[in-house]
Amino acid sequence: MRDDPPEPDLGAIGLRHLRRAIDLSREKMLAGEGGPFGAVVARGDEVLAEGWNQVTGTHDPTAHAEIVALRGAAARLQDFSLAGCVLYASCEPCPMCLAAAYWARVDRIIFAASRADAAAGGFDDAYLHEELARPPAQRRLPVRQALHDEAAAVFADWLAKPDRVAY
Amino acid sequence: MRDDPPEPDLGAIGLRHLRRAIDLSREKMLAGEGGPFGAVVARGDEVLAEGWNQVTGTHDPTAHAEIVALRGAAARLQDFSLAGCVLYASCEPCPMCLAAAYWARVDRIIFAASRADAAAGGFDDAYLHEELARPPAQRRLPVRQALHDEAAAVFADWLAKPDRVAY
């Protein structure tokens, strides 16, 4: 996937946010914090949070740039919903980060490098996209189910909770 | 998907860890911390970390039970790899958590309730599994690409970094 058309409709603000994500991807990688990935969560002109990969630096397998930025933006707004916000990422989000963006209710995602670039850099993004697109029984990570009924009953308790907060 | 066969090969240890995940899903939900989801990361008999949904309680859209447990286990081991560990979840992991389990290199996942149970409880898990299985252009969250070349160059810098730590 490449740019189509070149860049005209992203706008000066969007280009600035995306370039900031790319700058972060290089700076923090060179500083030894993790892989070469950066992200920004913005609401219009306003940057709510910046993120960069910190997997190796903080021993956190979930500390991808996008996750860090989404968590930071939600903490700043004190709201688990980032509706009205845009996620800018220096590289196409992996399935973890893509699904996190859905959960965070961002309006859209703008990314720069592709999963193929990440794969050339030695990262599993393209492989994970393929895995997630497969039916569960055909995936390489073994997954099995047990105790269904005991756990399903908890959802009845959830629906019966009068003060539950949906998300 | 239901149990097949009933439970015999999960073992007493596995059943104990899975029941703990289910207990957490109920306890913490009733305590108002978030949705009805619990998780445990274990290495054999040893529980490395427990997790429960804290999305609404901590304003963190990524604070699913599995993510919390994976982060906790990695922090405890001071290692971004959880190879040799098993993720137990009270409910089938959503795509975010499933991909996180791949990144964390767990050996396997055991879950109890299914995505259909979660959907009946009002959660987006089944919808997200469908979205992630679609080609990018057919998904409902708008995603677009720009500045490809500027970001792709960062991966060359990464590969040229002599002390890079792969993950």
Side-chain angles (χ1 to χ4, degrees):
Chain A
M1 183 159 44
R2 296 295 296 268
D3 311 348
D4 53 330
E7 252 87 65
D9 66 333
L10 192 54
I13 291 172
L15 285 173
R16 177 158 51 78
H17 292 322
L18 187 57
R19 286 212 166 90
R20 177 62 185 155
I22 296 170
D23 287 346
L24 286 166
S25 77
R26 179 178 278 111
E27 284 171 23
K28 301 298 184 177
M29 175 270 286
L30 291 175
E33 304 221 359
F37 302 91
V40 166
V41 173
R43 193 168 48 185
D45 189 39
E46 183 189 15
V47 174
L48 294 178
E50 296 181 340
W52 54 90
N53 188 286
Q54 298 168 46
V55 167
T56 56
T58 67
H59 311 294
D60 180 354
T62 74
H64 285 200
E66 300 93 323
I67 297 283
V68 172
L70 291 167
R71 297 182 78 215
R76 176 157 168 191
L77 296 179
Q78 285 289 290
D79 193 336
F80 53 81
S81 170
L82 297 175
C85 299
V86 176
L87 172 63
Y88 296 87
S90 68
C91 186
E92 184 179 1
C94 80
M96 174 176 74
C97 297
L98 177 59
Y102 273 91
W103 284 115
R105 317 295 182 197
V106 299
D107 286 4
R108 59 202 299 239
I109 299 173
I110 316 285
F111 69 87
S114 65
R115 62 181 80 176
D117 298 307
F123 297 97
D124 285 348
D125 301 57
Y127 162 68
L128 284 184
H129 279 289
E130 291 166 15
E131 279 287 289
L132 273 279
R134 290 195 180 100
Q138 293 174 27
R139 295 183 188 139
R140 292 187 213 172
L141 178 60
V143 178
R144 66 155 295 192
Q145 185 174 24
L147 301 180
H148 170 272
D149 294 353
E150 292 183 30
V154 180
F155 286 97
D157 295 349
W158 164 254
L159 290 172
K161 191 175 195 290
D163 61 344
R164 71 182 182 277
V165 181
Y167 59 87
Chain B
M1 183 159 48
R2 295 296 295 269
D3 311 348
D4 54 326
E7 251 86 64
D9 67 333
L10 192 55
I13 291 174
L15 285 173
R16 178 158 51 79
H17 292 322
L18 187 57
R19 285 212 166 90
R20 177 63 184 153
I22 296 170
D23 287 346
L24 285 167
S25 77
R26 180 180 276 112
E27 283 170 24
K28 302 298 183 177
M29 174 270 288
L30 291 175
E33 303 220 1
F37 302 92
V40 166
V41 173
R43 192 168 51 183
D45 191 38
E46 183 189 14
V47 173
L48 294 178
E50 296 181 339
W52 53 91
N53 187 287
Q54 297 167 47
V55 168
T56 56
T58 66
H59 311 293
D60 180 354
T62 75
H64 285 199
E66 301 94 322
I67 297 282
V68 172
L70 292 168
R71 297 182 79 216
R76 176 155 167 190
L77 296 179
Q78 284 291 289
D79 193 335
F80 53 80
S81 169
L82 296 175
C85 300
V86 176
L87 171 63
Y88 296 87
S90 68
C91 186
E92 184 178 1
C94 81
M96 174 177 73
C97 296
L98 177 60
Y102 273 91
W103 284 115
R105 316 295 183 199
V106 300
D107 285 5
R108 59 201 300 238
I109 298 172
I110 317 284
F111 69 86
S114 64
R115 62 182 79 177
D117 298 307
F123 298 97
D124 285 346
D125 300 58
Y127 162 69
L128 283 185
H129 280 289
E130 291 166 15
E131 279 286 289
L132 273 279
R134 291 195 179 100
Q138 294 174 26
R139 294 183 187 137
R140 292 187 214 173
L141 177 60
V143 178
R144 67 157 291 194
Q145 185 174 25
L147 300 180
H148 170 272
D149 295 353
E150 292 183 30
V154 181
F155 286 97
D157 294 349
W158 164 254
L159 290 172
K161 191 175 194 292
D163 61 342
R164 69 181 183 278
V165 181
Y167 59 87

